[in-house]
Amino acid sequence: MNRFYILISRVAVTLLFLWTLAGTGRALDSDALSRQAGELMAQGDLPGAVELLRQIPVPPKGADAGAFVASRMQMARIYVSLNEADKALAASREVLALFPDNSEARNAVAAIQKQQQSRWLSLLDDSRKFLPALLKGATMTLLLVLCTMLVSPLGGLLIALGRISTFRPLSAACWFVIWFFRGTPLLLQLFFIYYGLPAFGVTLPPLTAAVIGLGLNYSAYLGEIIRGAIQSIDQGQMEAAKAIGMTYGQAMRRVIIPQTYKRLMPPIGNEFIALIKDTALVSTIAMVELMRSADQLFNTYFNITALALAAAIYLLLTSIFTFIFEKIEYRAGIYEHR
């Protein structure tokens, strides 16, 4: 009886050894096939690589399935590059048949099925997915534009008045402001305000830093525009205002500046339309506006639709502002049309 048990044990050990050896052989064969397929892919022989990858067998239950899954997913990618969507789906579904929760295979099936949709349906799905984030970013862009539009005309008017002042220190200071902010890049100014001021103990939140940077930059540009418009008014207007008893301030407020509105609208409108696009620069100081939102979506999904939608929103905003400024320009010169 003992000899019988010993014989049975030896047979079991031998069978186990042979089964292990066979599994190892399969693993070695799978690795060799994968390497050969990789070499063929490097040489550009994609059909040959597919044939080698197809030879990697389905693993037995409980065995390592890594080589099989990798081969089928590589086959799916090759079929996609060859525009054979049905075969790519079949390769991905082989993986899902064994591992229903495999995320790579599920994402591949979803992506391939999406590619098989019509372009309009695909664009509609992408728009539905991307627009909420883009509109949220566009809201921040509008907030920046409106805040700058409130700050910069007032700052520009003060700079223009100081620039034409007969008080030389004030005129020189306003000239320096215009020279500095027009002569350095807006991006550099934003960097200095947000990243440089903390070195002097002044730390600003991104929105505040963006409004200050945009406001100062556009105040400098508008200052020169307003100065040119004021000085374009005939000097006799000021003399006539003073002749009837007006002070310098009254003459500027009631006579000179109102006559500049018609001349100011086109260049100021151009500046504010450029402002809509320049707000994209604040994405570099951690502000999530329209451009930053589009960039994040593109880096996440690698889908150019996000950038196209952002461009469409920018065009819509600039078109709206162009229409508004054209109406304001017409109203400002309504008496000249009569």
Side-chain angles (χ1 to χ4, degrees):
M1 181 65 71
N2 290 335
R3 290 180 180 178
F4 176 74
Y5 283 132
I6 292 172
L7 180 61
I8 293 296
S9 299
R10 287 179 178 176
V11 170
V13 169
T14 302
L15 291 174
L16 180 61
F17 174 76
L18 292 174
W19 181 84
T20 305
L21 184 61
T24 305
R26 282 194 297 269
L28 291 174
D29 290 342
S30 297
D31 292 340
L33 288 170
S34 297
R35 284 196 299 271
Q36 292 174 14
E39 292 173 0
L40 290 179
M41 289 174 60
Q43 297 170 9
D45 186 5
L46 298 183
V50 168
E51 290 303 319
L52 288 177
L53 292 170
R54 196 191 305 278
Q55 295 177 28
I56 297 177
V58 178
K61 189 174 182 180
D64 182 17
F68 172 77
V69 172
S71 68
R72 294 310 184 265
M73 295 312 302
Q74 187 61 54
M75 286 171 58
R77 287 189 283 270
I78 292 174
Y79 282 134
V80 168
S81 67
L82 295 174
N83 294 321
E84 297 182 10
D86 292 337
K87 292 182 179 180
L89 281 173
S92 300
R93 284 169 177 161
E94 284 188 60
V95 176
L96 292 176
L98 290 179
F99 306 101
D101 295 330
N102 186 282
S103 60
E104 184 180 6
R106 291 174 65 181
N107 290 337
V109 169
I112 295 167
Q113 289 176 338
K114 184 176 180 180
Q115 286 183 352
Q116 291 178 319
Q117 289 180 339
S118 69
R119 291 184 178 181
W120 291 110
L121 286 176
S122 179
L123 178 61
L124 186 62
D125 289 342
D126 291 339
S127 300
R128 191 181 299 115
K129 180 168 60 177
F130 297 148
L131 273 177
L134 291 175
L135 291 176
K136 185 177 180 181
T139 302
M140 182 57 66
T141 294
L142 272 177
L143 177 62
L144 286 171
V145 170
L146 293 176
C147 289
T148 307
M149 288 177 65
L150 290 174
V151 171
S152 57
L154 179 59
L157 177 61
L158 294 176
I159 291 172
L161 293 176
R163 184 76 176 84
I164 62 178
S165 173
T166 55
F167 185 56
R168 288 189 176 276
L170 178 59
S171 179
C174 292
W175 175 87
F176 177 82
V177 169
I178 293 171
W179 171 76
F180 179 81
F181 284 101
R182 291 204 311 172
T184 55
L186 174 57
L187 183 61
L188 178 63
Q189 296 164 22
L190 291 171
F191 272 24
F192 178 79
I193 293 170
Y194 186 70
Y195 297 112
L197 288 182
F200 300 97
V202 180
T203 302
L204 299 173
L207 178 60
T208 305
V211 172
I212 292 174
L214 292 170
L216 288 173
N217 184 272
Y218 276 83
S219 292
Y221 278 94
L222 294 184
E224 278 294 88
I225 292 172
I226 295 172
R227 179 191 65 79
I230 290 174
Q231 291 183 332
S232 70
I233 303 300
D234 190 89
Q235 184 64 28
Q237 298 288 324
M238 177 62 76
E239 295 173 356
K242 289 182 177 180
I244 61 174
M246 288 187 181
T247 63
Y248 177 82
Q250 290 174 329
M252 291 295 294
R253 187 173 66 252
R254 297 179 182 179
V255 178
I256 304 300
I257 292 178
Q259 293 185 67
T260 65
Y261 294 160
K262 170 69 176 179
R263 305 177 188 191
L264 285 174
M265 283 304 110
I268 287 181
N270 287 337
E271 289 295 320
F272 285 146
I273 290 169
L275 169 64
I276 296 173
K277 296 174 288 184
D278 282 347
T279 55
L281 295 176
V282 305
S283 63
T284 59
I285 60 171
M287 277 210 65
V288 183
E289 40 66 69
L290 179 54
M291 187 61 219
R292 182 68 173 270
S293 299
D295 183 57
Q296 289 176 342
L297 290 171
F298 180 74
N299 289 332
T300 302
Y301 296 98
F302 297 99
N303 191 328
I304 198 172
T305 305
L307 300 180
L309 289 172
I313 294 174
Y314 275 118
L315 284 171
L316 177 63
L317 292 176
T318 54
S319 299
I320 291 172
F321 275 81
T322 300
F323 176 79
I324 291 173
F325 277 104
E326 285 178 352
K327 290 296 182 182
I328 295 175
E329 181 184 352
Y330 176 79
R331 294 293 299 177
I334 191 169
Y335 295 106
E336 297 182 14
H337 295 296
R338 293 182 176 179

